[in-house]
Amino acid sequence: MKILAIETSCDDTCLAILEVKNAEWRILTNVVSSQTKLHAEYGGVYPMLAKREHQKNLPIILKKALKKNKGKIDLIAVTVGPGLEPCLWTGINFAKDLAKDMKLAIVPVNHVEAHLLANKIKDFPAVCLIVSGGHSQLILMKNAGRYRVLGETRDDAAGECFDKAARILGLGYPGGPAIAAAATGLKNKKLGIELPRPMIYQKNYDFSFSGLKTAVLYDFKKRSPKIRKNRQYLREMAAEIQQAIIDVLIFKTLKAARDCRAKSIVLAGGVAANQELRKQFALKIRNQKIKAELLVPLKNLCTDNAVMAAVAAYANRKKKTKSWQKIKANANLKI
Ligand code: KG4
Ligand code: ZN
């Protein structure tokens, strides 16, 4: 079966064609048209600007994708939420036109589920950490398709914290890769910067990252203009921000994994592309003798893409519909 998927929940215009045979998938096309440069000027995503770009990009990348893949498409998939409503609608309307033209059914896709399914999860229960620019949740997957939210952020998402902190420090957008790159240059610590690890020891699976961002702002404000631009300062700050986020994410996820006797620990979302996070997770699981397998997507499948939407559509293929008018965007769609 060949699935053509469209994903426009945020600032990337994504289209993929996936071939699924006996539940094994093969990527035929995976296009991500990034708007990073455009939004970098503002330090964040502007929904109406993103919508306009999606409208411009979608026909171009579709043409390219179909030129490469002559074979028949069997199913259309489209992300319907959660995400930025104007952006979601652009993808949905495009998918509807395509489905009508091709006389195909559409499977509506939940963006958070799609992020999780970028991993091939085989052993359950699975404790899943989804960390991106819009989400920070710990989700228990008892079986394929059965989800329970264990905890979530009470304010900013982990990726949002990376983005806002990078903006304060003038490191650019998106903040996650910028902070990770700045932290890599650190050889030794001289300034003794200590940031909080919000909610780390609280007896719940919730997160809070806005206090961490505020702590970064306070530290930055108390420094002289010269220090604020100093490379050593920026490296130390970047390393401490990254470590504070990693500490909280790992501590809470491993607590959930132990409490739920997880057989798999699943990372997903843009922040899961962070090399230090991946490395430290593997190390802690080994050191703490936790008997669960760590699953992480390929880096290009951590950040937004349409491959994961196609995989989620395959998992939910029973929900396919030709009643296109019923497919609506839901910015706050829950898993
Ligand atoms: O999943 P994603 O592409 O979009 C959303 O659904 O939000 O995630 C984007 C987020 C951004 O906040 C970005 O700063 C963060 O993921 N991110 C990273 C890294 N790559 C992307 N954060 C930390 N380290 C990275 N290497
Ligand atoms: Zn996402």
Side-chain angles (χ1 to χ4, degrees):
M1 168 188 276
K2 270 191 195 170
I3 304 173
L4 189 156
I6 291 157
E7 149 67 52
T8 59
S9 66
C10 192
D11 61 340
D12 292 318
T13 318
C14 316
L15 189 147
I17 301 177
L18 196 78
E19 186 171 43
V20 193
K21 262 189 200 159
N22 306 323
E24 288 297 324
W25 39 273
R26 192 162 72 93
I27 301 169
L28 301 181
T29 308
N30 177 23
V31 195
V32 178
S33 177
S34 170
Q35 303 175 11
T36 305
K37 277 197 192 130
L38 195 70
H39 297 285
E41 264 180 57
Y42 305 96
V45 180
Y46 272 74
M48 295 320 279
L49 194 64
K51 175 190 157 172
R52 205 187 62 197
E53 287 301 300
H54 289 317
Q55 282 171 332
K56 205 167 79 189
N57 293 336
L58 277 169
I60 302 170
I61 59 178
L62 173 73
K63 209 170 159 192
K64 265 195 208 157
L66 291 180
K67 216 181 208 175
K68 266 212 232 152
N69 294 277
K70 299 273 185 235
K72 187 176 149 277
I73 303 288
D74 302 289
L75 197 61
I76 306 277
V78 66
T79 304
V80 295
L84 303 170
E85 190 151 336
C87 297
L88 291 164
W89 271 117
T90 311
I92 292 171
N93 288 332
F94 191 80
K96 284 181 182 177
D97 287 344
L98 201 61
K100 281 179 207 160
D101 270 3
M102 294 177 148
K103 299 188 176 51
L104 293 175
I106 299 181
V107 180
V109 169
N110 178 311
H111 182 68
V112 171
E113 182 179 29
H115 268 299
L116 301 184
L117 297 185
N119 293 282
K120 294 180 181 173
I121 312 168
K122 292 197 175 91
D123 292 322
F124 301 95
V127 161
C128 313
L129 174 72
I130 153 103
V131 267
S132 70
H135 317 278
S136 289
Q137 288 185 315
L138 263 170
I139 294 168
L140 174 65
M141 202 170 165
K142 283 192 177 167
N143 273 305
R146 277 185 68 199
Y147 304 99
R148 184 156 69 87
V149 177
L150 298 172
E152 59 197 338
T153 183
R154 296 190 181 171
D155 39 60
D156 292 351
E160 197 177 353
C161 183
F162 270 116
D163 294 337
K164 287 178 175 171
R167 191 176 181 179
I168 294 168
L169 300 176
L171 290 175
Y173 176 85
I179 286 186
T184 319
L186 182 65
K187 292 209 173 63
N188 42 23
K189 289 188 188 176
K190 294 176 187 157
L191 299 165
I193 301 166
E194 273 182 37
L195 294 171
R197 271 64 174 157
M199 293 182 73
I200 192 163
Y201 296 123
Q202 282 190 18
K203 286 191 170 52
N204 54 50
Y205 304 115
D206 285 344
F207 302 105
S208 165
F209 291 107
S210 81
L212 179 56
K213 167 205 66 195
T214 310
V216 173
L217 183 65
Y218 282 157
D219 191 283
F220 187 76
K221 274 191 169 166
K222 78 176 187 205
R223 307 284 172 173
S224 70
K226 198 173 159 206
I227 293 285
R228 286 178 192 172
K229 290 201 183 99
N230 178 276
R231 243 194 214 157
Q232 178 69 18
Y233 172 68
L234 293 173
R235 281 178 183 150
E236 285 199 35
M237 266 302 247
E240 179 63 7
I241 293 161
Q242 178 173 257
Q243 196 55 50
I245 295 174
I246 290 177
D247 283 348
V248 178
L249 294 179
I250 294 187
F251 190 89
K252 293 242 162 173
T253 307
L254 296 191
K255 175 174 151 45
R258 276 190 299 269
D259 292 351
C260 302
R261 295 175 200 284
K263 290 202 176 132
S264 306
I265 296 171
V266 175
L267 307 189
V271 178
N274 186 281
Q275 193 53 36
E276 266 309 303
L277 179 75
R278 294 158 86 105
K279 196 175 92 189
Q280 293 187 30
F281 246 114
L283 207 67
K284 283 261 163 64
I285 289 172
R286 203 166 54 229
N287 289 349
Q288 294 183 18
K289 298 191 169 55
I290 294 172
K291 287 194 184 66
E293 190 191 356
L294 177 68
L295 300 177
V296 268
L298 292 171
K299 281 194 183 169
N300 67 330
L301 298 186
C302 285
T303 43
D304 286 346
N305 64 87
V307 169
M308 64 188 197
V311 177
Y314 181 76
N316 290 292
R317 58 196 179 281
K318 281 189 185 144
K319 291 185 191 160
K320 71 179 184 186
T321 176
K322 279 191 177 171
S323 304
W324 300 299
Q325 68 284 359
K326 282 192 192 150
I327 300 173
K328 292 196 167 87
N330 181 352
N332 301 310
L333 187 65
K334 303 277 179 260
I335 192 163

